[in-house]
Amino acid sequence: MSATRFRPRAAAVMAGGLLVTGLAACGGDGGGGGETTGSGGGTAAASGEGVDDGTELTMWTRAPLERQAINAVEAYNATHENQVALEILPNDDVEGMVGSAAQTDSLPDILAGDVVRIPYWTEQGIFTDLTDQIGSLENVDDLQEGHIDAGTLDGAMHTLPFVTDISVMVWNKDLYEQAGLDPEAGPTTLDEFVEHAQAVAALDQDGVAGSYLSGQSGGALVFTLLPTIWASGEEVLNDDGTEAMLDGEAAQAVYSAYRELAETPNGLGAGSREETGATWTAPFQEGNIGVMPYPYTAVTGMFEDAAFEVGVAAIPGVDGGGSTFLGGDAIGISRSSENVDQAWNFMAWLMSDDAQQTVFADNNDTAASLTVLADGYADADPRTEVANATVADGRTPVARNFNEAFNAAGSPWQLLIQDAVWGEESAIGSHNDAVNAVLAP
């Protein structure tokens, strides 16, 4: 599946074009300029920098990306007249709060959300059309496309990258050494992943397991398992996100690998089958897991704080290669905002290479700017460079009903994994059909 959708580039837009969404912007003449009107369905001129006139903006983001969101907002507030008031939402409450606020037209000015949910929100009209503004960015062609594509509908762009979270393979070097493995060499194939996990499992230490799986968290499962399928040259969705191929050869190999670990004493950590995603990163952080796919946003904090050494590599395919899930949150301006130009000022600033360097690269987080990814990590931990290198082969699956098919509690994807790893393997095909039924328009 290609995650890329058509989106116009800078040459095709701008030149003082007006927003066509009917949303209004409060008046103001500071900062980067741009025509604005009062509230109540007016227009806001597309401007490169937006307006910085001391407006107080509201913003929602979700708890898993709290650290990165705070870094961004604090850096902006320290250097601008506008001030962003950030509200961190519990991950499980985001959908309900956005839905309720949309019904009462009380969404915040700036809304960040899980990139896999962005296509649905865009189709529901949650965001302002930012085609002209995004096209006006001088470095628009230098930004990672997945989060822009997710918010692109019929050629109209609504979102930009906010926090890019990628999945990587991590291993506990201390446990590797105890198990007789090379602590500097993580798995490069699916078979090696199983072999390494089984070697750690064989230590038979109290509380220690070879790997871990978040068995009842559809979001964590796509984040950690799909890269192996992509790295093996296979797809998980068709181009328009209406059909799944979760019963392919590489997918079957992934399920078999985890089934083998589930049948190995200490192969998968206790609670893997019941894990809902609330605590799925904790067992590795606590030093009890040998090797597992993992969110990189949760890795960097362990470089100095963990009581063990962490190894980082791309998530391997069945026979080699590597890939990653380009996850995290995209960001847009809500349809409720009366401060479109001011909110755009925050978004445009965040896309600048200076902000990408300060907010993300300098904190060992993944930048959305490809230039900063290539040149901005000279002083970073070498493991960050390894992680960043996976972005080039990363993917973001795009489907209108992705959340219902994959992420939602009790989704057919979640049920597929339960049967494939712990239950009835022969049901994989019927579960794939169930996913297709949800994805179908």
Side-chain angles (χ1 to χ4, degrees):
M1 182 213 74
S2 171
T4 301
R5 291 178 172 177
F6 167 78
R7 61 184 170 99
R9 293 298 190 180
V13 292
M14 187 53 190
L18 300 179
L19 287 175
V20 295
T21 59
L23 289 176
C26 289
D29 57 1
E35 178 184 350
T36 59
T37 71
S39 60
T43 59
S47 60
E49 299 178 358
V51 174
D52 182 20
D53 62 354
T55 296
E56 183 168 321
L57 299 164
T58 55
M59 176 177 172
W60 286 359
T61 191
R62 59 193 180 109
L65 303 178
E66 177 178 355
R67 180 176 62 83
Q68 292 83 1
I70 290 175
N71 287 343
V73 168
E74 287 186 346
Y76 178 82
N77 287 350
T79 54
H80 291 76
E81 296 297 322
N82 295 338
Q83 295 292 291
V84 177
L86 178 66
E87 184 172 354
I88 307 292
L89 307 184
N91 196 45
D92 291 342
D93 295 347
V94 172
E95 199 64 36
M97 293 184 70
V98 170
S100 297
Q103 290 181 346
T104 57
D105 201 24
S106 57
L107 290 160
D109 294 300
I110 303 168
L111 176 63
D114 191 331
V115 66
V116 300
R117 194 54 170 165
I118 294 299
Y120 178 77
W121 285 359
T122 302
E123 187 175 281
Q124 295 302 306
I126 295 294
F127 295 113
T128 296
D129 183 343
L130 297 176
T131 303
D132 289 351
Q133 286 91 335
I134 293 174
S136 75
L137 292 172
E138 293 181 356
N139 66 339
V140 64
D141 291 323
D142 196 44
L143 300 175
Q144 65 103 336
E145 294 187 2
H147 290 198
I148 301 177
D149 294 337
T152 299
L153 181 64
D154 297 330
M157 296 181 286
H158 301 79
T159 59
L160 286 169
F162 180 42
V163 177
T164 301
D165 193 8
I166 57 177
S167 49
V168 295
M169 187 66 76
V170 296
W171 64 96
N172 182 320
K173 293 185 179 183
D174 294 9
L175 289 176
Y176 262 47
E177 192 162 15
Q178 294 173 40
L181 300 168
D182 181 353
E184 302 305 322
T188 59
T189 66
L190 187 61
D191 282 347
E192 284 188 2
F193 165 69
V194 174
E195 291 168 8
H196 292 190
Q198 289 178 325
V200 173
L203 292 173
D204 198 24
Q205 295 181 6
D206 186 30
V208 171
S211 190
Y212 195 82
L213 192 64
S214 187
Q216 297 202 41
S217 172
L221 289 168
V222 296
F223 193 65
T224 54
L225 301 186
L226 299 191
T228 294
I229 301 173
W230 292 324
S232 305
E234 296 188 16
E235 305 295 343
V236 297
L237 294 175
N238 65 351
D239 285 345
D240 61 6
T242 58
E243 182 180 351
M245 288 84 85
L246 300 170
D247 53 356
E249 186 174 342
Q252 299 270 5
V254 172
Y255 310 147
S256 294
Y258 279 93
R259 191 177 187 91
E260 182 175 350
L261 290 178
E263 294 172 348
T264 300
N266 308 316
L268 291 180
S272 287
R273 187 172 185 176
E274 298 79 23
E275 173 64 59
T276 62
T279 59
W280 74 282
T281 58
F284 185 82
Q285 288 177 331
E286 294 165 355
N288 293 325
I289 301 300
V291 57
M292 66 180 291
Y294 208 74
Y296 194 66
T297 52
V299 173
T300 53
M302 289 192 286
F303 290 164
E304 294 183 0
D305 298 338
F308 58 93
E309 286 293 316
V310 181
V312 175
I315 296 175
V318 174
D319 296 317
S323 186
T324 185
F325 191 110
L326 291 175
D329 284 13
I331 190 171
I333 300 173
S334 85
R335 70 185 187 199
S336 303
S337 178
E338 297 182 347
N339 305 300
V340 173
D341 279 351
Q342 290 84 354
W344 174 248
N345 182 263
F346 172 79
M347 291 178 62
W349 164 83
L350 189 61
M351 293 305 105
S352 69
D353 282 354
D354 284 347
Q356 290 286 313
Q357 180 71 46
T358 301
V359 173
F360 299 106
D362 289 351
N363 290 299
N364 277 313
D365 289 318
T366 304
S369 162
L370 301 183
T371 294
V372 174
L373 271 180
D375 304 328
Y377 292 83
D379 298 325
D381 188 289
R383 291 167 289 191
T384 296
E385 295 188 42
V386 171
N388 288 345
T390 68
V391 172
D393 297 314
R395 309 285 282 275
T396 303
V398 177
R400 176 187 182 276
N401 296 327
F402 190 92
N403 187 68
E404 291 77 7
F406 291 91
N407 285 25
S411 71
W413 158 249
Q414 179 188 317
L415 297 177
L416 185 156
I417 295 300
Q418 285 286 318
D419 266 335
V421 177
W422 293 283
E424 182 54 60
E425 289 180 280
S426 62
I428 291 173
S430 62
H431 287 306
N432 188 70
D433 292 341
V435 172
N436 286 332
V438 176
L439 292 175

